[in-house]
Amino acid sequence: MGFSTFPVDASSSHLRSLISPVGNLPAELLIEIFAFCAAEDCLAPLTLGAICHFWKNVVDESPRVWQVAVLDDKRSMAASQSQARLWIGRSAPLQFDVKLNVKDADNVLPLLAPFLPVFHRWRQLTITGARQESVCLSDAFSRLDTLNDLSISVSGNEHPDDAYRSTFEAYSPLWPNRIAMSIWLTQLPRAELLTPLQFTSLSITDQPPHSTRPDAAAILGLLKSCPQLESFTLSGWMDTEVYGSHVLPVVSLPRLHTMNLRRTTLARVLLSNINAPALSKLYLAYLNVSHRISPECFEQGDSEDEAQDYSQSPWSDQATGMGLRNLIARCNPPIKSLEMDYSDMRTKDFIYVFEHLTALEDFLITASDMSNTVIRLLKPYDEAAVRLPHLRNFELYNCHRISGDAIVETFTHRVKYTDRFTPKDTLEEVVISDCEQCGLQHQDMLIKEIGSRFRSY
């Protein structure tokens, strides 16, 4: 290692005799001793390095001394993360152990955050205190190039079982070499506590008993901490208190291609504050609610729906529609697949979406109050164009306010037009199922007009 030793000559023999025997030990033996001390005392490398210049050189230039990083949440998070980065740098390129002692399980993710970019060097993770876990990670992580998946469950109260759940689990039996990180929290961490995370898939779930309030700012902050994100799923937080999108920052996610929002009243505020120019798949499920959802501010498009069409869930229809409009207006994402399962919009929003999502290929909607006006938007217009020009698959389930005549008229005209003028983009499948006003006679007419492309389950 090139460590200097004390010169041995006659003039220094007297001084040498005054030095403690430990001062005569070679650097290689000191490293072994220091590594043993570091395993017993988390701050031993700092203490030993303060003894003398020679020991400081030995400590600083010996990765073995820094192979055990011990952190707790007694100090400030900034201090703990600074310590983590120091240990990571000094222990390179060797593997290392991570030991956490936490009074609050919500601090596990912020404490681990600095270590995640170098997870392939982890040897063992031990967590004590509010969480209890000890796992050898080197064997599992040696098969991985990256740790892609983060799953966060948020609950209003800690469950006794949470203390013993595994932080790292197999993503799926189908992918034995893919490991997901799972965290159970009572509240989402503040964005400033998280160093940039390298996850490409993030799932956040609000578990019962539900947390006290939806926190859109915390969700957006967490998204901002994951700039490489490609897939995002949010499930939960059905609340009447919604925060105006104008007071929250816009989060840029240039690689996001899939977004799934389920059972939440935060759809508008999230869709309105995410910049996702590569988004191609959007899944909205169970966003319909009957109670009023009032934004803090009104934007262009918040006015009454001129069509005055009936809706069982007018407030959530407006929220979902405005969220989609804001997303499209901001980044015009090339959405190819849109599913709206018990998630509806106003007629004016369908008009806006159908006129702007020109790349859409697959559209599925369940339990919508959409009217004949909406379905007829898919007919050719001006005798020379169609909305959603690349639409290939259309699925309609449990939609009771659309007449069978309007359905037959729309798809008969559309298929005749696209088969003739744009055969590469003509409809391949039309599914109409459990729609009260589309009876057997209408289904027979569809079979006659568009053939085997029609399905009814």
Side-chain angles (χ1 to χ4, degrees):
M1 284 194 174
F3 295 110
S4 60
T5 57
F6 290 97
V8 181
D9 54 38
S11 61
S12 62
S13 58
H14 176 67
L15 292 175
R16 188 67 179 270
S17 65
L18 299 178
I19 297 175
S20 170
V22 71
N24 295 319
L25 295 177
E28 292 76 13
L29 186 54
L30 284 176
I31 292 172
E32 295 298 323
I33 296 172
F34 292 171
F36 176 82
C37 294
E40 299 297 320
D41 179 358
C42 62
L43 297 180
L46 302 180
T47 304
L48 294 169
I51 300 299
C52 66
H53 182 70
F54 176 58
W55 280 22
K56 178 174 173 56
N57 286 341
V58 173
V59 170
D60 290 349
E61 299 178 26
S62 304
R64 282 203 56 203
V65 180
W66 304 86
Q67 280 188 281
V68 180
V70 182
L71 304 179
D72 58 43
D73 53 3
K74 296 178 182 178
R75 299 183 298 160
S76 71
M77 192 60 63
S80 294
Q81 291 180 342
S82 178
Q83 179 190 340
R85 287 188 286 270
L86 177 61
W87 260 249
I88 291 168
R90 293 287 173 82
S91 62
L94 302 181
Q95 291 184 321
F96 56 83
D97 297 338
V98 179
K99 297 182 179 181
L100 305 183
N101 183 274
V102 292
K103 291 184 177 180
D104 185 349
D106 287 355
N107 290 324
V108 170
L109 181 58
L111 287 172
L112 287 179
F115 296 104
L116 295 176
V118 291
F119 74 92
H120 56 281
R121 290 175 47 204
W122 290 21
R123 189 168 54 186
Q124 183 162 347
L125 171 66
T126 304
I127 306 176
T128 56
R131 288 285 303 277
Q132 300 288 326
E133 182 175 7
S134 181
V135 57
C136 180
L137 297 168
S138 57
D139 292 340
F141 280 4
S142 65
R143 303 192 302 267
L144 303 176
D145 294 326
T146 56
L147 180 63
N148 292 322
D149 306 284
L150 173 61
S151 175
I152 298 178
S153 297
V154 184
S155 176
N157 296 320
E158 293 185 16
H159 190 278
D161 292 341
D162 291 349
Y164 300 97
R165 297 188 182 189
S166 299
T167 301
F168 298 97
E169 301 176 316
Y171 180 82
S172 165
L174 300 177
W175 292 294
N177 292 343
R178 185 173 177 178
I179 293 177
M181 182 177 182
S182 299
I183 298 289
W184 289 263
L185 308 171
T186 59
Q187 61 181 359
L188 293 175
R190 302 195 311 274
E192 59 267 24
L193 298 181
L194 299 175
T195 55
L197 304 174
Q198 315 243 336
F199 296 104
T200 59
S201 173
L202 171 63
S203 173
I204 305 174
T205 304
D206 180 32
Q207 301 278 13
H210 302 288
S211 54
T212 55
R213 56 175 283 188
D215 193 343
I219 295 171
L220 290 169
L222 186 56
L223 290 174
K224 185 178 180 181
S225 299
C226 301
Q228 307 299 318
L229 211 58
E230 298 176 4
S231 175
F232 170 55
T233 296
L234 174 75
S235 179
W237 286 289
M238 299 290 286
D239 198 283
T240 57
E241 185 180 2
V242 178
Y243 306 97
S245 57
H246 68 295
V247 300
L248 296 173
V250 173
V251 176
S252 180
L253 299 172
R255 298 187 180 185
L256 188 72
H257 57 68
T258 302
M259 180 156 50
N260 189 329
L261 304 179
R262 300 173 54 87
R263 301 183 187 277
T264 183
T265 50
L266 297 177
R268 173 173 180 167
V269 70
L270 293 178
L271 291 171
S272 297
N273 289 277
I274 290 177
N275 183 28
L279 187 68
S280 61
K281 298 178 182 178
L282 179 59
Y283 305 112
L284 308 174
Y286 301 99
L287 303 185
N288 290 347
V289 294
S290 58
H291 57 257
R292 184 182 182 109
I293 306 174
S294 298
E296 285 187 355
C297 69
F298 286 85
E299 303 171 275
Q300 184 177 0
D302 270 316
S303 58
E304 291 293 327
D305 190 358
E306 294 81 2
Q308 297 294 313
D309 287 329
Y310 171 80
S311 174
Q312 299 181 75
S313 52
W315 304 109
S316 59
D317 292 359
Q318 178 177 343
T320 302
M322 287 301 299
L324 259 177
R325 288 161 70 111
N326 289 335
L327 175 70
I328 293 169
R330 169 170 289 109
C331 57
N332 191 26
I335 297 176
K336 293 185 177 181
S337 181
L338 174 61
E339 294 189 9
M340 302 180 67
D341 190 6
Y342 286 85
S343 303
D344 212 350
M345 296 187 294
R346 302 166 299 174
T347 297
K348 66 189 299 182
D349 301 321
F350 278 111
I351 294 173
Y352 185 94
V353 169
F354 286 0
E355 288 181 346
H356 287 81
L357 292 187
T358 56
L360 194 67
E361 298 178 1
D362 304 300
F363 180 64
L364 178 153
I365 189 163
T366 301
S368 171
D369 290 321
M370 69 163 58
S371 65
N372 291 340
T373 302
V374 174
I375 201 69
R376 287 186 173 125
L377 292 171
L378 300 179
K379 288 174 52 180
Y381 64 96
D382 293 339
E383 299 182 357
V386 289
R387 296 177 179 87
L388 306 182
H390 299 289
L391 186 66
R392 297 189 178 186
N393 299 289
F394 181 89
E395 300 183 44
L396 194 69
Y397 298 92
N398 195 25
C399 297
H400 303 311
R401 304 197 66 82
I402 306 176
S403 71
D405 291 341
I407 293 173
V408 173
E409 175 191 352
T410 295
F411 291 107
T412 297
H413 284 79
R414 184 181 181 95
V415 168
K416 286 181 178 179
Y417 175 88
T418 54
D419 280 357
R420 179 181 178 184
F421 296 105
T422 58
K424 292 183 179 180
D425 293 315
T426 194
L427 279 166
E428 297 175 356
E429 184 177 62
V430 176
V431 177
I432 311 295
S433 182
D434 294 326
C435 298
E436 289 180 353
Q437 297 189 52
C438 187
L440 292 176
Q441 72 276 20
H442 299 105
Q443 296 179 27
D444 290 340
M445 293 173 67
L446 284 168
I447 292 173
K448 178 181 177 181
E449 296 294 340
I450 67 175
S452 61
R453 284 178 280 195
F454 171 68
R455 300 279 191 275
S456 179
Y457 300 109

